[in-house]
Amino acid sequence: MEIARFVVVSFLLVISFFPSGDCNLVFKVQHKFKGRERSLEAFKAHDIHRRGRFLSAIDLELGGNGHPSESGLYFAKIGLGTPVQDYYVQVDTGSDILWVNCAGCTNCPKKSDLGIELSLYNPSSSSTSNRVTCNQDFCTSTYDGPIPGCTPELLCEYRVAYGDGSSTAGYFVKDHVVLDRVTGNFQTSSTNGSIVFGCGAQQSGQLGATSAALDGILGFGQANSSMISQLASSGKVKRIFAHCLDNNNGGGIFAIGEVVQPKVHTTPLVPQQAHYNVFMKAIEVGNEVLNLPTDVFDTDLRKGTIIDSGTTLAYFPDVIYEPLMSKIFARQSTLRLHTVEEQFTCFEYDGNVDDGFPTVTFHFEDSLSLTVYPHEYLFDIDTNKWCVGWQNSGAQSRDGKDMILLGDLVLQNRLVLYDLENQTIGWTEYNCSSSIKVRDEHSGAIYAVGPHDLSSASSLRVERISMLLLMLLLTIFHSFRN
């Protein structure tokens, strides 16, 4: 899908309930901050009680890549239903629910430029599928209480709206999810569990587009409605997962479970936040720390630093963006910069960007840092033609104008660990074409998990999948000729 969709998805995510029939009542829903601490404690107590019944770690096959001029996203393959059918879903840590396009869907994509075959989930074709009604526990829990006007025959419906105007709507179903259980070094076997997920009945905007189309989105957020929270609640897994996004070869590693190698230094998550927010302390360009206002890293509502694998680029409020860009180009005063599509800063440069531009290091609480190299925050669109992956969040969304959002641009080529058991997140630079080691909770054995690539990165480079980027390329060529 277009970069623009993933740019804004984490700035605005609204989940609403709309009853069937003539009623137009809409309930806006946020994460259940009020009860989340009690819920997390309940998860932990439940896990301790069922510790002996935990499955091994889970290995999710991964595809795609984070290059902005290619797919700009990563996706996984999961199995749903009985008999099982495979679906390709974008991995998104910035949202909570899993949803897939369903049979009879309005405006669902029929083909994808990613080279994968799309499928429609049909509840009637799965012997283990059950529709979720509005009076069931999942629905009342998700919407923080009884649904007004609910009757036993009404379905539990959902609507997710994204910041670019795209939206998905449908109803919840409960069915088997089939995943790969790690059983040995680079070995897996199929295992299943029951989860509730969205059956997409209507898509709008770019969700119906062919470019980079997928079967749905797999939300790996913290809410109880996410797949990992549901599996943990049933004693299947721990609420720990990790990804290593390989931007060099495509695909990478995505595993659920305790990672024992490599070792990862962590920083605490900001409590009671909808996303994976962390405490940023400073930004260093080259060897110089940016002089920024003291409140710029506040973690109040609509502020803070979000880690989001569902976003391609990285976003900063104007008070950070301007001095950051100024410092990056300080040594290249003769470059001719072009603003393309009112958001991309692009230029022509025939040298090695790692020699000509500074590194950017983000510093977080508990002495965790993240260094981003020029070849990572600059992306090439053609020979000697580059654009900057940093974006001004104020220019993208009024709701997210004060947010710092770090997407795949800075997460790629690193092992990123999300430990919801201890409410921490961490990372380390890593070769995502190699392997990691995870622990089997039942036996204590340690197994190696290797990378996957569900799609060819080289083929994605040949097919430029976004009209936005095609326009960007043509505009830059025109600018360089003038």
Side-chain angles (χ1 to χ4, degrees), residues 405-426:
L405 193 152
L406 305 180
D408 293 343
L409 179 82
V410 301
L411 302 179
Q412 62 197 7
N413 304 322
R414 293 163 179 81
L415 191 284
V416 183
L417 175 68
Y418 303 75
D419 185 349
L420 304 187
E421 301 283 332
N422 296 298
Q423 285 292 287
T424 61
I425 187 173

Side-chain angles (χ1 to χ4, degrees), residues 231-244:
L231 292 176
S233 179
S234 62
K236 296 292 186 181
V237 298
K238 275 188 170 182
R239 298 180 79 219
I240 303 174
F241 66 95
H243 59 66
C244 198

Side-chain angles (χ1 to χ4, degrees), residues 423-434:
Q423 285 292 287
T424 61
I425 187 173
W427 47 76
T428 186
E429 292 184 23
Y430 202 65
N431 178 5
C432 297
S433 296
S434 61

Side-chain angles (χ1 to χ4, degrees), residues 47 49-56 234-237 442:
D47 289 347
H49 178 69
R50 302 175 63 124
R51 187 62 52 90
R53 299 173 59 186
F54 273 127
L55 295 177
S56 301
S234 62
K236 296 292 186 181
V237 298
H442 181 68

Side-chain angles (χ1 to χ4, degrees), residues 112-133:
S112 172
D113 289 344
L114 291 176
I116 58 175
E117 185 175 346
L118 301 181
S119 301
L120 295 175
Y121 173 80
N122 189 342
S124 300
S125 298
S126 173
S127 62
T128 49
S129 177
N130 291 285
R131 289 170 170 82
V132 178
T133 54

Side-chain angles (χ1 to χ4, degrees), residues 15-28:
I15 303 179
S16 306
F17 174 84
F18 50 103
S20 300
D22 298 329
C23 181
N24 294 319
L25 187 62
V26 175
F27 299 89
K28 292 186 178 180

